[in-house]
Amino acid sequence: MTAIQMNAELFRELSIIAEDESLMAKMLKYAKKLTAKKADSTLMTHKEFFDRIDKAKAGRTYSMLPDENLTEFLKRQGYDL
């Protein structure tokens, strides 16, 4: 079954559930449980966050010259605009 087919089937079932308040409550409760199990890959500790900042600072940096616009800066960096 393709993602498009699953999406269509999901919305067909949801249209049935939407007509019944008790089914909606059950579905909402289950959906919250289902999505809560998915780990958020963007979450990090305070230390991890600042370690990433320190690592980025150690890398190559780019600065715009005074009175230089973005197009000029990108051309100077080798971008073909």
Side-chain angles (χ1 to χ4, degrees):
M1 183 179 286
T2 67
I4 293 173
Q5 290 169 326
M6 286 189 283
N7 193 28
E9 185 174 346
L10 173 64
F11 280 101
R12 274 193 298 276
E13 297 300 324
L14 287 174
S15 70
I16 296 167
I17 293 171
E19 296 173 1
D20 185 329
E21 190 174 332
S22 66
L23 287 177
M24 282 288 287
K26 289 178 186 178
M27 181 64 196
L28 182 59
K29 185 177 177 181
Y30 178 72
K32 286 181 179 180
K33 285 182 184 178
L34 187 63
T35 56
K37 292 179 182 177
K38 185 176 180 183
D40 186 352
S41 63
T42 62
L43 292 178
M44 63 183 82
T45 66
H46 187 267
K47 182 181 179 338
E48 290 171 330
F49 175 76
F50 285 102
D51 286 346
R52 288 185 71 178
I53 290 176
D54 291 338
K55 185 178 178 183
K57 286 181 183 177
R60 185 170 181 191
T61 59
Y62 302 92
S63 298
M64 291 178 66
L65 300 173
D67 299 324
E68 181 179 39
N69 65 37
L70 183 58
T71 302
E72 294 166 342
F73 170 73
L74 291 172
K75 284 182 180 177
R76 188 167 51 85
Q77 298 305 317
Y79 291 93
D80 185 31
L81 302 177

